[in-house]
Amino acid sequence: MQYLRKAIEKKRQYIIDLLVKSGSEYQHSEPALQKLTLTELEVILKNSNSCRY
């Protein structure tokens, strides 16, 4: 169970880092992003990627 929690937290942090470093509107929102679930972060990432193309 501990392994699963660490894996989820690692993926959450990876997505947050991508959003913050992308220079998007999330650049200054890291504290707010930390409060979101992995699923919410994945949706935001998917939507931000699809808007770029």
Side-chain angles (χ1 to χ4, degrees):
M1 197 67 165
Q2 185 77 342
Y3 172 76
L4 183 58
R5 285 186 192 142
K6 285 185 179 184
I8 290 170
E9 184 55 39
K10 187 175 180 180
K11 185 165 184 175
R12 281 182 73 248
Q13 192 58 51
Y14 174 75
I15 293 173
I16 290 169
D17 290 345
L18 281 176
L19 290 169
V20 170
K21 291 177 183 176
S22 70
S24 66
E25 65 269 16
Y26 305 105
Q27 190 171 7
H28 302 290
S29 303
E30 187 169 355
L33 292 172
Q34 291 289 347
K35 297 177 184 177
L36 299 176
T37 65
L38 177 58
T39 304
E40 292 168 328
L41 289 168
E42 288 174 332
V43 168
I44 291 171
L45 183 63
K46 181 180 176 187
N47 288 340
S48 67
N49 283 341
S50 65
C51 291
R52 291 183 190 158
Y53 302 109

